[in-house]
Amino acid sequence: MKSMGEKMLLFDTLGNQKNQFSTLVEILQQRASSEPAQVAYTYLANGETPEDRLTYQQLDCKAKAIAAHLQSCISPGDRALLIYPQGLEFIAAFFGCLYAGVIAIPTPAPEASRLKRIRPRLESIIQDAECSFILSTSKILSQLEPFITDYKSLKTLSYIATNTINQNSGKDWKETPIKSDSLAYLQYTSGSTSTPKGVAITHQNLIANIAAITQAHGYTSESICASWIPYFHDYGLVNGMLQPLYAGIPCFIMSPVTFIKHPIRWLSAISKYHVTHTGSPCFAYQYCLEKIKPDECQKLNLTSWRVAHTGAETIRREILELFAEKFKPYGFNFSAFYPSYGLAEATLMVTTKKLDEIPKICTVSRQSLSQGRVVVYGKNETENFVSLTSCGITAGDNKIAIVNPETLRRCGVDEVGEIWVAGSSVAKGYWQHLDLTEKTFQAYITDTKEGPFLRTGDLGFIKNNELFVTGRLKDVIIISGCNHYPQDIELSVQQSHPALRFGCGAAFAVETEGQERVIIVQEVNRSEQNQIDSKQITSTIRQAVSAFHEIQLYAVVLIKQGSIPKTSSGKIMRHACKVQFQEGKLEAIFVDIRKK
């Protein structure tokens, strides 16, 4: 397949060719030169009040000062962990690494109380990336200090508090040769189905993907962006922070903790600052439905919100419809939703909805889907069905193939297969994992020899040129030769009783007595833990799963709120949940096992 040339095209905010750049460093330097006083980023304290701002010139100066310091102690190509609170210090450090040719690794900032919980992931990243430095703020480093001496992997590192670096030292910065194929950073995967791996993202990958987003989501010179999604997630970094810089538009940043505590403040920021582009995984729209009260909405004006992108997890049509219905009186339009599909291995976005269209759905037979076939559900049919939301068409130069994961041949029309992706956004591979890189990033279709493709591990199909995602290959539950998607089973469970928490359950299979048996682990709302009839709820769960999926559950485990294993980005870790079940380590409220 043809690759894009050395120079990547930067489009202006009307989609016209403006300048040619090959790196993010060139883009920031150009903006600092042509628009020095333009505010690029504003951090909203508590999601409301502007606490700090960075113009393009200020960001350029901070980046050069940090880069000069790094050049005095780190060699180009070395890896550094970036551990920051959500905000502008991270952005300055990230660009400081780019300016110095240091490979940044965005990592969550652990609270002292949670360090032991996330330490295995942190140590895994440090070991895999062979990091030698941690960049952070003096406050966070002081919080980490008591733990550094206890853990060998942390003790051997050097620590730099970038907020203490003299801003005048930028004059000592020496420009580092950076090309389009130079590594910009390592994006470590969430680890929802395996050990976290570092995706090697180049400047070319970034610019190709951001250019595709700019066109697909219709950015203009009047656009304004906002984001609360964590910087260490590819969604938050690429779409939330780097996209606005590329498009040359203002960006308002708030903490994910603020969103969780006060989701109304996200919508209030959209209203107050006339935000046009902002979004989140589907769970956040559901969260707004559950937590935002009518009396909090009286001053909202959401008419500016033109693009409400959503991705990173299963997209539920009913949630989007309920959100649009609830906030329609305040100016929100259902057509603003842009369901998208993407993954870190392709930098971020692969597909998204067409401009100014209503998100499409495809209603198919559940039984046929379990057999790997797509049979569109007719209005007069009584068979069990499932409605899937389209993730749109390919963006930029991305190409998609639906391939049988066993034969490695293209699937026929109306067949479910693995989603394979090719294009300039696809990363080089996994850091220091040559065999896995070859297997995942260098796949070829057996009969036609087309390739190379990225094997995503996701299942789906194409209908009328639009992508529909059905689930994860590793998570599929196979019972009596039929495929069952865990997220569909989990949704049926969570809709069966009001005491069960949405998005906080796991369905998986274990082998017992020579047979695959299905297990449900589900959180219960904390406010109802001491009031529920556990036997009645587990019976209701069993009935729902039997009616909709024709599965007899082996075990139903009700657990405490907040105890189900999740990744740093909020995805359910079904494998980890399975291990905890097998080892008896779940924080169970009630366990119901039926062996026959």
Side-chain angles (χ1 to χ4, degrees):
M1 291 188 177
K2 294 180 180 180
S3 61
M4 298 186 71
E6 176 73 5
K7 290 288 185 180
M8 302 300 299
L9 206 58
L10 174 62
F11 290 87
D12 68 16
T13 49
L14 297 178
N16 301 312
Q17 295 182 7
K18 186 178 181 182
N19 285 305
Q20 288 185 324
F21 294 100
S22 59
T23 72
L24 284 179
V25 172
E26 291 178 8
I27 294 174
L28 176 54
Q29 289 182 322
Q30 172 62 28
R31 296 222 178 274
S33 174
S34 61
E35 308 167 81
Q38 176 65 43
V39 175
Y41 299 98
T42 301
Y43 182 71
L44 301 177
N46 296 320
E48 295 181 316
T49 308
E51 181 182 77
D52 198 7
R53 292 183 175 89
L54 276 178
T55 65
Y56 291 123
Q57 186 178 61
Q58 289 171 335
L59 178 56
D60 178 64
C61 290
K62 281 180 174 287
K64 287 177 178 176
I66 293 171
H69 184 86
L70 295 180
Q71 288 174 334
S72 69
C73 55
I74 305 179
S75 300
D78 284 352
R79 279 75 59 203
L81 257 65
L82 274 58
I83 305 180
Y84 288 85
Q86 188 88 339
L88 307 190
E89 290 285 356
F90 164 78
I91 296 172
F94 182 81
F95 274 93
C97 288
L98 295 182
Y99 275 45
V102 172
I103 301 173
I105 305 175
T107 312
E111 299 174 8
S113 59
R114 296 180 63 248
L115 184 59
K116 288 184 179 180
R117 181 178 175 182
I118 71 167
R119 181 176 61 84
R121 173 181 169 81
L122 192 62
E123 290 187 322
S124 174
I125 292 174
I126 292 171
Q127 181 177 3
D128 185 76
E130 296 182 340
C131 298
S132 52
F133 286 82
I134 285 182
L135 275 57
S136 189
T137 65
S138 51
K139 180 179 179 180
I140 288 181
L141 292 182
S142 66
Q143 293 173 344
L144 287 175
E145 191 171 350
F147 297 91
I148 291 173
T149 56
D150 294 335
Y151 302 116
K152 183 179 179 180
S153 60
L154 297 177
K155 189 176 180 180
T156 57
L157 300 179
S158 298
Y159 296 82
I160 300 174
T162 55
N163 62 307
T164 64
I165 293 174
N166 188 334
Q167 296 302 300
N168 294 325
S169 62
K171 64 181 184 298
D172 298 324
W173 172 69
K174 297 179 178 61
E175 189 167 359
T176 302
I178 302 173
K179 298 181 180 180
S180 64
D181 61 354
S182 298
L183 283 188
Y185 66 100
L186 297 181
Q187 178 67 61
Y188 270 81
T189 58
S190 62
S192 59
T193 58
S194 63
T195 302
K197 301 175 289 293
V199 182
I201 303 293
T202 67
H203 285 268
Q204 173 178 298
N205 297 147
L206 267 173
I207 294 177
N209 203 259
I210 294 172
I213 295 172
T214 299
Q215 289 189 301
H217 287 172
Y219 282 84
T220 74
S221 58
E222 303 301 317
S223 298
I224 299 173
C225 181
S227 179
W228 59 264
I229 304 175
Y231 68 80
F232 51 82
H233 192 281
D234 55 328
Y235 196 171
L237 177 60
V238 178
N239 211 346
M241 294 185 175
L242 302 182
Q243 172 66 39
L245 178 76
Y246 177 91
I249 61 173
C251 178
F252 293 89
I253 296 172
M254 58 190 293
S255 166
V257 175
T258 295
F259 169 75
I260 295 300
K261 289 183 177 180
H262 308 285
I264 185 61
R265 293 185 183 174
W266 179 36
L267 303 191
S268 296
I270 296 169
S271 178
K272 182 177 181 180
Y273 299 106
H274 310 293
V275 172
T276 60
H277 290 65
T278 184
S280 70
C282 200
F283 85 86
Y285 297 105
Q286 170 73 19
Y287 193 69
C288 288
L289 287 171
E290 294 175 351
K291 300 297 183 181
I292 297 178
K293 299 177 182 178
D295 60 352
E296 295 180 289
C297 302
Q298 298 308 310
K299 296 182 180 180
L300 287 181
N301 181 353
L302 303 177
T303 54
S304 66
W305 197 358
R306 295 193 301 105
V307 175
H309 44 77
T310 182
E313 62 180 16
T314 303
I315 301 168
R316 300 292 181 188
R317 173 79 175 204
E318 60 272 21
I319 294 176
L320 305 189
E321 289 177 340
L322 288 171
F323 184 93
E325 180 182 351
K326 179 171 182 175
F327 295 102
K328 182 178 180 179
Y330 311 103
F332 184 80
N333 193 314
F334 182 74
S335 63
F337 276 122
Y338 277 72
S340 305
Y341 168 74
L343 66 166
E345 286 84 348
T347 305
L348 181 62
M349 192 176 74
V350 175
T351 68
T352 192
K353 187 198 76 172
K354 291 181 182 178
L355 276 173
D356 301 321
E357 289 191 355
I358 299 294
K360 292 182 172 61
I361 62 168
C362 185
T363 302
V364 299
S365 160
R366 193 186 299 273
Q367 181 180 0
S368 298
L369 199 62
S370 70
Q371 298 168 353
R373 297 182 296 111
V374 181
V375 176
V376 177
Y377 179 81
K379 292 183 179 179
N380 298 324
E381 297 181 50
T382 58
E383 187 183 359
N384 198 356
F385 65 91
V386 58
S387 292
L388 302 172
T389 302
S390 167
C391 289
I393 61 174
T394 53
D397 69 349
N398 288 324
K399 296 179 178 64
I400 286 181
I402 304 299
V403 181
N404 185 304
E406 296 179 358
T407 66
L408 305 187
R409 293 175 177 267
R410 275 188 187 269
C411 289
V413 177
D414 295 331
E415 285 186 347
V416 176
E418 185 180 8
I419 301 168
W420 288 19
V421 178
S424 302
S425 296
V426 174
K428 281 188 170 183
Y430 295 122
W431 178 259
Q432 292 189 325
H433 291 277
L434 297 179
D435 291 343
L436 189 57
T437 292
E438 182 176 0
K439 178 181 177 181
T440 305
F441 289 84
Q442 299 170 21
Y444 288 82
I445 297 174
T446 301
D447 50 343
T448 65
K449 308 304 180 184
E450 294 173 86
F453 283 95
L454 161 68
R455 297 190 63 171
T456 69
D458 291 316
L459 295 171
F461 61 90
I462 300 289
K463 194 76 173 176
N464 298 324
N465 295 321
E466 304 224 0
L467 176 67
F468 294 84
V469 181
T470 58
R472 288 286 297 169
L473 185 60
K474 290 183 179 180
D475 287 338
V476 169
I477 298 170
I478 304 175
I479 303 294
S480 300
C482 293
N483 295 340
H484 298 273
Y485 298 101
Q487 69 271 19
D488 291 336
I489 300 174
E490 292 156 6
L491 181 63
S492 296
V493 169
Q494 289 152 19
Q495 291 178 334
S496 69
H497 197 283
L500 305 177
R501 297 192 71 209
F502 183 86
C504 297
F508 52 87
V510 298
E511 184 176 333
T512 176
E513 298 177 357
Q515 290 185 318
E516 286 289 297
R517 304 290 181 88
V518 180
I519 316 296
I520 291 294
V521 175
Q522 175 61 49
E523 286 189 10
V524 175
N525 288 316
R526 184 177 290 111
S527 59
E528 302 187 53
Q529 283 180 190
N530 298 323
Q531 305 172 23
I532 59 172
D533 183 339
S534 298
K535 290 185 178 180
Q536 184 267 327
I537 290 181
T538 54
S539 178
T540 299
I541 289 173
R542 289 181 180 278
Q543 291 172 15
V545 174
S546 176
F548 287 105
H549 305 277
E550 299 181 353
I551 293 175
Q552 302 302 314
L553 297 176
Y554 173 73
V556 178
V557 184
L558 303 180
I559 60 175
K560 295 180 180 179
Q561 179 173 328
S563 65
I564 198 162
K566 289 187 176 182
T567 68
S568 58
S569 58
K571 294 180 182 178
I572 297 295
M573 300 175 70
R574 297 186 180 96
H575 179 71
C577 197
K578 176 178 178 178
V579 171
Q580 288 188 10
F581 170 80
Q582 292 174 319
E583 296 178 352
K585 294 182 179 180
L586 293 168
E587 296 186 41
I589 299 171
F590 183 77
V591 180
D592 179 42
I593 297 178
R594 296 183 185 178
K595 296 184 178 181
K596 294 184 179 180

